[in-house]
Each structure stands twice: as structure tokens, then as C-alpha cells.
Amino acid sequence: MDIPVNAMVRWSGVEGRPLIIAGPCAAESEAQVLEAADRLAPSRVDYLRAGIWKARTRPDSFEGIGAPALAWLRRAGDRHGMRTATEVAHGDHVDAALEAGIDLLWIGARTTVNPFSVQELANALRGTDVPVLVKNPTAPDLGLWIGALERMSRAGIRDLGAIHRGVSVANAAPYRNAPMWSLVLELRRRLPDLPILTDPSHICGRRDLLAGVAQRAMDLGLDGLMIEAHPNPDQAWSDAAQQVTPERMGEIVAELAVRRHDEDAAFAASVEGLREEIDRLDEHLLDLVAQRMEVVDRIAGQKRDRNVAPLQLRRWMIVLENRLARGRQLGLDEAYVKGLYDLIHRESIRRQSVLMSGTLAGEDGPDPAPPTGE
Ligand code: PEP
Ligand code: MN
């Protein structure tokens, strides 16, 4: 798959620091949008955001002011020479936003899940040159995210990027949406040139966690942040708990540690020895895993002969308890050791099932990792 994209600097002018999109979840009144812009202006904000049409989970929530608020956003931006951004979900949103002079459009998580809607947007965007950012769908479905990017690409959009806003899972605690960083890293692996921003606000759902998630995005080399900022967050008509004041938004960005992600030859040489050591250890690690599976296969033979089920719950509980204790002694994070053993054990059960009954169990691939709140 080929999705040609322009470098972010081409359309945003931003290079060597994160691109920042900030502003209220929703435009509520002209005064509120203007105040947000006035108070964001001292921080380096590249695009002023505000939701005009709000896709809400429940029908009795505030669904946005609609088209009249576009002029508020444009006026607030103009007052400070700030570019503007809003979410679009229908073709006529695109037409109205472009007509009002909005500078960047994004596709929300509840829209990316629906290829009909995404295609409608692509059709409306064909022939325009507005930058478009596509949020990940609410479900952890990379194919759907890439599919939406492809539809934009086929409509000729080259100023294209993605926004990572977490995914809806049964247990995302302490977050509102599990960050699932592995999804973003896989997107980056598949489309290395695509700019990717993180939206800590919709991941966290609460303001005290924003800074940590924003820093993690920087540590992974992502290209920017979308942060919700409201003049009076507690009184916001939508997403109150996750919004911060414009001043706090500025602090979060100012305190980010932004490090280099390209390594030069001198650095590569200085860590070469350590990397060789890691390569050697990984080789051992895989040898050991393979040896462990061979022993599992031998046990499977005995279980089959004596008609014993592959999963012996009591034995598994003892094994896990014991490995967690060992992990603690070694200073390893408990959730990490638990995840590791879930993976090892799942594969061990799958192999035993196949060996013992010749079923095709597991051929549809491993279960997704259980949500870890990560
Ligand atoms: C938003 O940015 O206000 C929004 C609705 O986000 P998401 O589509 O990520 O839920
Ligand atoms: Mn919001």
C-alpha cells in the first residue's frame, strides 16, 4: 500500500518541535471561543481547535452549535494570527468549514469507524488542499484507520496525518480510552512518512493524566499533540473533566522533554556494545521459549494418553503466583510479568489443544492481549 504524503513542515511550517493543536472541545459561545484564543495566544499554538458539530455517544448531550460557530472560530483565530481546525463528519460540514476559511480539518473517532462516512468526506475533500488529520477509530482496528487514510489519499489529499486518541475497551482504567501505543507504533511502521499526533485529552478523560501521556507521545517520536483547553474547564458543556485552562495547556507543552529521534554515527557507536549484548540475550530468550514449548509438547502427549484436559487451573495459578513472586524479587513490574505469562500460557494451551485433539484451535490467531490500562 502506498500513501504518498507531504512532510508536516510543508503544510504546518513546524519542524524540530511538536505541532500543537489546542482549544475547547466544543465552541459554546463567541465569547468563550475568543477568550480561549486570547489566553492560548501566549503559548505556541499552531492551530486553534473547537468542535462545531459534536458526535456524541448519547443523544441528550450537547451536540455542538453547528455552522454559525464557524465564524467565531475564524474570528478568534484571526485576532491572533492563529490557524484554525475543526472536526467534520459529513460532506456539507467540509463545504461549510472551507467556506468559513477553516485551515485544517480532522475526522473524529466515531466517524473513522464508518467507511460510508469516510468516503463521503473523501468525495467532499477531492480537489481541495486543506490538511486532513484522521483520528483512529474507537475500536482498536488498524485496518479501519489505514483504510480511512487510503480513502483520503485516493481523493488526492497529500497534506495528510493521523491523530492517536486511544481506543474504547472494557477496562481502560485509569484512562477513558486505552492508549494502546502498539497500535500507533504499528501505524508508524507501515506508513513511516505519515505525521502522527497524539490527543492526550480523549485518551485520559481526566486532566491530571495529560502530561504523562503527552510525554510518552514525545518519547515515541510522535509529531505533535491535540489538547483540549477551555477558559473555564469545569463548566464546559462537553468533556469537562479532561479539559484544562489555556495556561495549564501552555505549561504542559513547555514542560515536555523533546529529544532527538535520529541517532548519529557517534551515538550508534557508543551503544554498539550494549546492543550486541541485547541481541545475545534475545537469542537466549527465544531459545529458552522454544525449549519450554518442547517440554509442553511432551506433557501434552501424556495428558492425551491419560485423558487429562490441557488447562489445569490449579497448577496454572501456582505457576503464575510463583513467577510473579520471582519477578518481584527481580524488580520487574508485576503487570508486565503477568502479561508475559498470559502470552506464554495461552500459546502453551493452544499447542496442547492442537496436539491432543488435532483441532484447528488457535488457527484464527492469538486472542488480543487483555486490556492492561496501558
Ligand atoms: C474531539 O476531538 O472533540 C472528539 C470528539 O474527539 P474523538 O473523535 O477523538 O472522540
Ligand atoms: Mn472532546
Side-chain angles (χ1 to χ4, degrees), residues 27-29 33 50-52 64-75 100 102:
E28 298 165 3
S29 68
V33 181
I52 305 287
I65 298 282
L70 289 166
W72 307 343
L73 180 59
R74 188 60 272 166
R75 230 168 277 146
I102 304 303

Side-chain angles (χ1 to χ4, degrees), residues 25-26 49 54 176 202 228 238-239 242-243:
C25 176
R49 66 152 280 162
K54 303 296 298 174
R176 174 181 174 189
H202 290 88
E228 287 187 339
S238 57
D239 289 350
Q242 71 194 31
Q243 299 204 61

